[in-house]
Amino acid sequence: MITSPLKIVFFFAICIICTLNSVIAQTENMVTVKGGVYIPLYGVDSTAVKVNDFLMDIYPVSNNDFLAFVKKYPQWKRSHIKRLFADENYLVLWNDDNTLGNQLKPNSPITGVSWFAAKKYCECQGKRLPTIDEWEYAAMADDKMPDARKKETYNQYILEWYETPKSFNNSIGSTFKNYWGIYDLHGLVWEWTLDFNSVLISGESRKDVDKDSNLFCGSAAVGASDLMNYAAFMRYAFRGSMKANYAVKNLGFRCVKDLNITP
Amino acid sequence: MKSKKPFVLLSGTGLFAVVLLMILSACSESKEAEAKNYLGPEGIPVSQEMIAELTAPPNVPGPTARRKAKKLIVNMEVLEEEGEMTDGVKYVYWTFGGSVPGSFIRTKIGDEVEFHLKNHPDNKLPHNIDLHAVTGPGGGATSSFVAPGHEAQFSFKVLNPGLYVYHCATAPVGMHIANGMYGLILVEPEEGLPPVDKEYYVMQGDFYTKGENGDRGLQPFDMKKAVDEDADYVVFNGKVGSLTGDNAITANVGETVRLYVGNGGPNLVSSFHVIGEIFDVVRVEGGDLINTNVQTTLVPAGGAAIVEFKVDVPGTFILVDHSIFRAFNKGALGMLKVQGDENKKIYSGKQEEGVYQPEGSGIQEMPVDKDIVQTKETAKSLQEKMEFGKATYMRTCFACHQAEGQGIPNAFPPLAKSDYLNADLNRAIDIILHGKTGEITVNGVKYNSVMTKQDLTDEEVANVLTYIYNSWGNSKKEVTPSVVASRRNAH
């Protein structure tokens, strides 16, 4: 089920690197997320994680953005891409290598891209994909507070989105602006993370609630935080079903950048 | 074992095997010997491949008695799609095969099932399937976990005869089940189940919506209510009315009916009952234990039962969860319509219809709140009034007054072409608001029954009356909420 870390290292090695001169760090349309210590959704007190300050894209990468990328780096065009890096669903809704399909809007989030393509896109902007912890940390925020996970209405909002079909074709920026000034972390598309498969959730989700597992220790699974767990479960289950070459209609991405490194 | 055509296996079989088969089928003792040579059910050989016939409820695929164990290929697609819980109430269902409950799978002991689970690319979530008929970790869940736009395949041998539930077991498990991801898989014994005249697939499930029962519009799943086990809808086959009116299941007098009854839950157990019938045979929990002469059988969440009965007299027999408010107030109500000659020896009198009690829907005898919550969507045109009114009618009035307003002879007066109704609008409003007891004459026929007061808003009363007055040959009055309000305040 899960691509082993070893395989990823292998892919890293053979991945084509952006030519250095094209890497111009784009920090416009990014905002600072102030880091801190947080307990991941799957965790208990002892598993608190430190997240450093980082910059995150305000919006997910759009169809137009990605179109510009493949024009500049033709090896990531639909007809050129290696099967190792993306399955048959890669950009499947596009008419051809250089044109979006009829049902896609330029300003909607790019979907149908593999982890390799997303990772490469970010690298070519002088950025990188967010880690799960960075993504989850930023996505704890609702419009008013940095950690809204205990808010019933917030979790209900997330759960409702999970049940809404075909939201991938809405425009970027069409959901709420969160505490950090970031849009669309919930409500538009799933998003790739750098280490999407580092938290192992097996195909048998009920097994993952026992104490032997890193994920969803007994206390969390039966505690008062059911709503919170349910929303989180969905994301972790989704990530757990992915392989790095999968291209999925409801899955896009955005990029982040470390704050302390100047371009 | 009981195949009458052993020679169909001739093609593609070696001469030795042919001779062996001929010898084996020559006498029944040899057949017994053959059976004993199996090392238990897992030793049953499979010969050919076949694609499994899958059916949407209330239908079931044909019996397996006449075939040998096979490699059975099941192709099942997961679809997340919007459907209708009841008139005007939309819900996003997650389904196995496009229906709730999912497609019925019929196998026989010894079959080697090759299962293909296909997750449609438009879907948002990963899914898997846990079949209680599988002997193996997770009932197949681990091996079938699959992302949107992908397909997973695994195989299993069916070892135990019985009727089994299957369901999705992807996190969050409760939510996947609550959204409709369950169904039944039948494993028949070698000789098949005894033949019957009619077989149907009925599966109960409980649903939790953000709005209350009957609130219009697209209703999201409500996790809090699900955790609290506070169901808004308890239904057969995925929605209110899936087994009533034109959708009723049918049989003829003298026929034997077999119901494959499942309960997907996620939370509630079912007290399954058919009003006006006694189950001649219940295969308790879908297993080998046979109980006879049963009135109500318990179907656990994630469990099943097979009930069989002969229908002796004509009429409409009502399927309910005998936790009875679920039936009359939350939707767990179905109909078996039986046609044929009456048999006065078995039943004489008011035998036409089997409604349980003259209860309406709505909450009975609750004090009416002054700030009655208005439905969020209000009807603006006659067409909308008709639409909304029909929804209220189907929820509240249908069980007694019936789909075409024809009523039930000797019990509930007709609304269609009703002189009583058309004569006095204010009286009609009053009856809905305050109830009515005692004898009345409608179209020359006397009725003496009870209608309880209905807890409906002014707008709901206006809409449902507009619907009734503009249907079935009535006088086409359009009723406004303000007229209803003035009658309400007059008392």
Side-chain angles (χ1 to χ4, degrees):
Chain A
M1 266 308 116
I2 311 294
T3 310
S4 74
L6 203 64
K7 263 190 205 161
I8 290 191
V9 171
F10 168 73
F11 284 135
F12 261 117
I14 62 167
C15 207
I16 305 137
I17 295 163
C18 296
T19 49
L20 277 175
N21 62 358
S22 69
V23 179
I24 302 152
Q26 307 276 327
T27 52
E28 61 177 307
N29 287 327
M30 295 189 97
V31 290
T32 303
V33 178
K34 186 104 184 66
V37 173
Y38 93 115
I39 295 163
L41 290 163
Y42 55 85
V44 289
D45 288 356
S46 59
T47 59
V49 169
K50 184 168 184 288
V51 176
N52 293 326
D53 297 356
F54 61 97
L55 288 163
M56 187 176 235
D57 284 351
I58 293 171
Y59 303 107
V61 174
S62 71
N63 282 317
N64 248 358
D65 296 338
F66 203 79
L67 189 59
F69 167 72
V70 296
K71 282 180 176 161
K72 197 163 176 190
Y73 304 97
Q75 67 269 38
W76 295 96
K77 285 184 176 177
R78 191 173 73 182
S79 63
H80 297 177
I81 194 150
K82 295 188 170 61
R83 273 291 159 262
L84 265 179
F85 296 148
D87 67 13
E88 296 84 351
N89 291 324
Y90 184 72
L91 302 179
V92 74
L93 294 180
W94 288 28
N95 281 346
D96 56 45
D97 276 351
N98 299 311
T99 338
L100 300 176
N102 296 332
Q103 51 169 313
L104 297 178
K105 291 186 293 195
N107 205 31
S108 293
I110 179 72
T111 59
V113 289
S114 66
W115 177 86
F116 295 105
K119 181 173 169 291
K120 180 55 57 184
Y121 176 96
C122 290
E123 283 169 9
C124 292
Q125 317 290 318
K127 303 177 188 175
R128 61 174 171 81
L129 283 173
T131 63
I132 290 183
D133 281 328
E134 285 166 341
W135 195 97
E136 290 286 332
Y137 182 84
M140 298 188 308
D142 69 353
D143 55 345
K144 297 215 166 57
M145 50 206 275
D147 185 356
R149 290 180 298 171
K150 296 263 188 236
K151 258 165 100 170
E152 202 175 297
T153 48
Y154 183 56
N155 283 291
Q156 190 68 39
Y157 174 86
I158 297 172
L159 287 168
E160 281 171 28
W161 169 59
Y162 292 167
E163 287 198 279
T164 310
K166 298 194 169 70
S167 53
F168 72 94
N169 214 18
N170 297 341
S171 298
I172 59 170
S174 60
T175 73
F176 68 96
K177 177 182 187 175
N178 84 358
Y179 175 86
W180 305 108
I182 300 166
Y183 286 86
D184 305 328
L185 285 167
H186 305 287
L188 213 53
V189 289
W190 304 106
E191 295 183 9
W192 282 112
T193 54
L194 192 61
D195 51 349
F196 69 97
N197 56 5
S198 67
V199 177
L200 297 181
I201 189 163
S202 71
E204 167 55 311
S205 309
R206 297 159 297 183
K207 216 170 61 183
D208 301 317
V209 299
D210 66 34
K211 288 202 163 93
D212 296 335
S213 168
N214 287 332
L215 195 58
F216 303 108
C217 298
S219 58
V222 294
S225 53
D226 281 303
L227 277 172
M228 183 173 113
N229 281 338
Y230 266 63
F233 253 133
M234 313 279 276
R235 288 196 295 278
Y236 284 92
F238 180 84
R239 290 178 190 134
S241 74
M242 286 295 128
K243 290 182 184 176
N245 68 336
Y246 281 13
V248 176
K249 221 175 182 176
N250 287 301
L251 175 61
F253 69 100
R254 76 179 69 214
C255 312
V256 298
K257 209 169 129 36
D258 292 319
L259 240 192
N260 51 349
I261 297 168
T262 41
Chain B
M1 293 300 293
K2 295 209 172 146
S3 171
K4 301 274 194 304
K5 300 174 192 167
F7 297 113
V8 296
L9 297 173
L10 268 174
S11 61
T13 315
L15 183 61
F16 174 74
V18 172
V19 172
L20 188 68
L21 259 176
M22 290 171 77
I23 293 165
L24 286 176
S25 49
C27 66
S28 57
E29 281 87 353
S30 299
K31 279 187 173 182
E32 291 299 321
E34 185 189 37
K36 277 169 190 156
N37 284 337
Y38 299 155
L39 298 166
E42 68 270 35
I44 299 173
V46 297
S47 48
Q48 295 146 315
E49 255 183 38
M50 69 182 271
I51 308 279
E53 181 198 354
L54 301 178
T55 60
N59 301 311
V60 297
T64 67
R66 293 172 64 85
R67 72 165 171 86
K68 294 199 172 253
K70 290 196 189 309
K71 180 174 169 186
L72 189 65
I73 297 164
V74 175
N75 291 303
M76 196 174 270
E77 187 181 37
V78 176
L79 291 165
E80 300 166 4
E81 58 189 0
E82 190 178 299
E84 203 163 46
M85 183 69 71
T86 183
D87 290 318
V89 180
K90 305 271 198 289
Y91 192 81
V92 176
Y93 291 94
W94 300 347
T95 74
F96 285 112
S99 61
V100 178
S103 310
F104 196 97
I105 309 167
R106 191 164 191 158
T107 70
K108 83 181 306 167
I109 191 158
D111 277 350
E112 184 188 312
V113 179
E114 184 182 290
F115 206 102
H116 297 256
L117 189 66
K118 302 161 186 212
N119 194 350
H120 195 279
D122 282 348
N123 291 348
K124 190 160 259 161
L125 294 155
H127 297 284
N128 63 9
I129 191 164
D130 167 350
L131 300 119
H132 293 178
V134 168
T135 304
T142 316
S143 317
S144 57
F145 189 49
V146 62
H150 290 81
E151 175 183 338
Q153 183 197 321
F154 69 106
S155 294
F156 61 95
K157 185 101 174 163
V158 283
L159 304 179
N160 302 75
L163 181 62
Y164 300 95
V165 166
Y166 65 77
H167 61 90
C168 184
T170 302
V173 181
M175 184 175 181
H176 284 253
I177 295 175
N179 282 345
M181 297 192 79
Y182 47 76
L184 291 178
I185 174 169
L186 173 67
V187 181
E188 291 200 75
E190 176 63 38
E191 67 280 8
L193 289 168
V196 290
D197 299 299
K198 295 276 159 61
E199 292 187 310
Y200 294 107
Y201 175 17
V202 177
M203 197 162 187
Q204 185 171 319
D206 27 301
F207 289 87
Y208 304 83
T209 55
K210 196 164 186 195
E212 299 305 313
N213 181 300
D215 279 4
R216 302 181 64 84
L218 181 63
Q219 290 295 329
F221 168 69
D222 190 307
M223 175 64 70
K224 183 76 170 62
K225 285 184 183 170
V227 171
D228 293 345
E229 307 192 9
D230 174 20
D232 296 286
Y233 297 90
V234 182
V235 296
F236 295 129
N237 292 357
K239 57 178 284 191
V240 178
S242 64
L243 288 174
T244 59
D246 291 344
N247 302 321
I249 53 177
T250 59
N252 298 310
V253 166
E255 287 185 328
T256 305
V257 177
R258 175 183 290 143
L259 303 179
Y260 297 100
V261 185
N263 186 2
N267 290 322
L268 306 177
V269 300
S270 174
S271 307
F272 186 73
H273 178 80
V274 177
I275 299 174
E277 264 300 340
I278 295 152
F279 304 143
D280 302 327
V281 170
V282 172
R283 291 166 199 272
V284 179
E285 294 174 12
D288 289 345
L289 179 62
I290 289 186
N291 201 353
T292 55
N293 303 322
V294 176
Q295 56 188 318
T296 298
T297 194
L298 194 69
V299 188
I306 303 174
V307 304
E308 297 167 12
F309 51 91
K310 185 172 164 223
V311 284
D312 299 297
V313 294
T316 300
F317 296 81
I318 311 288
L319 285 56
V320 295
D321 178 342
H322 215 304
S323 300
I324 208 71
F325 276 100
R326 298 176 189 168
F328 290 102
N329 300 72
K330 295 185 173 182
L333 194 138
M335 287 178 176
L336 167 64
K337 290 194 174 167
V338 178
Q339 290 192 318
D341 294 333
E342 292 181 3
N343 184 338
K344 299 277 185 188
K345 244 187 212 168
I346 292 178
Y347 188 74
S348 100
K350 300 176 183 175
Q351 70 197 48
E352 284 85 354
E353 301 277 344
V355 167
Y356 177 65
Q357 275 287 308
E359 293 186 20
S361 182
I363 299 161
Q364 274 91 45
E365 298 303 330
M366 287 290 288
V368 178
D369 197 319
K370 276 182 190 142
D371 314 308
I372 294 164
V373 182
Q374 296 287 333
T375 46
K376 282 160 205 146
E377 268 183 89
T378 53
K380 290 176 192 72
S381 62
L382 176 61
Q383 191 194 344
E384 279 189 353
K385 279 188 160 186
M386 290 293 284
E387 187 192 323
F388 289 19
K390 186 180 182 190
T392 303
Y393 184 86
M394 295 310 284
R395 206 166 71 237
T396 309
C397 320
F398 163 79
C400 298
H401 293 292
Q402 300 288 291
E404 300 298 320
Q406 70 269 41
I408 293 177
N410 305 320
F412 305 117
L415 300 174
K417 295 192 184 121
S418 162
D419 55 3
Y420 185 85
L421 173 81
N422 289 311
D424 190 341
L425 171 64
N426 287 339
R427 179 172 66 189
I429 295 173
D430 291 348
I431 290 173
I432 293 177
L433 293 179
H434 308 296
K436 174 82 184 164
T437 314
E439 191 175 276
I440 60 169
T441 304
V442 180
N443 297 345
V445 179
K446 285 195 164 81
Y447 292 85
N448 193 349
S449 56
V450 179
M451 172 159 160
T452 52
K453 62 190 284 192
Q454 302 297 315
D455 185 23
L456 297 173
T457 64
D458 291 346
E459 200 203 336
E460 283 172 330
V461 174
N463 289 343
V464 78
L465 272 174
T466 300
Y467 171 70
I468 291 166
Y469 274 114
N470 287 276
S471 303
W472 319 310
N474 286 326
S475 62
K476 299 192 185 302
K477 285 191 185 71
E478 195 171 337
V479 185
T480 63
S482 59
V483 171
V484 179
S486 70
R487 294 304 301 174
R488 196 190 291 278
N489 297 331
H491 286 257

